[in-house]
Amino acid sequence: ELCGFDVQVQQQIYKLASSGLCSNLDGQVMMDLMVKGPAEGDASYALFKQETEGIFESLRKKSQLLYKFLNSVSGISCQQLQGAMYAFPKIDIPPKAVAAAAAEKHSPDTF
């Protein structure tokens, strides 16, 4: 908070402080090049496409492996993974564990 400063001076100080939050021009250009990648027809396009398809195929295989593993564990089930590698498994707590938690006055998921 700036007290005792003219409103226009405050605005300039806030603007100066905010400019420190942005990356410089070089950083913005490099990020743009990294995110866009080469266009179809560019000399490096074929290699770029091969590499990105390889990465996505590797991630797809890993997600399938995780899905199969989670569903192979007794008491755990998981829906097919879509897109990113986020899994939301359902853990079935056995009735004896629920009863033991209740006897100790705990909820089953924190026992």
Side-chain angles (χ1 to χ4, degrees), residues 9 34 49 69 84:
V9 173
M34 183 183 75
K49 187 163 176 64
F69 172 77

Side-chain angles (χ1 to χ4, degrees), residues 80-95:
Q80 186 78 28
L81 279 64
Q82 301 290 323
M85 297 268 300
Y86 296 105
F88 301 96
K90 176 181 180 241
I91 301 172
D92 295 316
I93 302 173

Side-chain angles (χ1 to χ4, degrees), residues 57-88:
E57 180 61 20
S58 173
L59 290 172
R60 188 189 66 74
K61 286 179 182 177
K62 288 176 185 175
S63 74
Q64 290 298 310
L65 182 67
L66 178 61
Y67 165 74
K68 289 176 183 175
F69 172 77
L70 286 172
N71 283 307
S72 71
V73 177
S74 177
I76 296 178
S77 60
C78 185
Q79 293 185 3
Q80 186 78 28
L81 279 64
Q82 301 290 323
M85 297 268 300
Y86 296 105
F88 301 96

Side-chain angles (χ1 to χ4, degrees), residues 2-4 7 13 27 32 38 43 51 66 71 73 80 94 97 103 106-107 111:
L2 295 173
C3 297
V7 174
I13 291 173
D32 183 63
E51 289 175 346
L66 178 61
N71 283 307
V73 177
Q80 186 78 28
H106 286 280
S107 65
F111 184 61

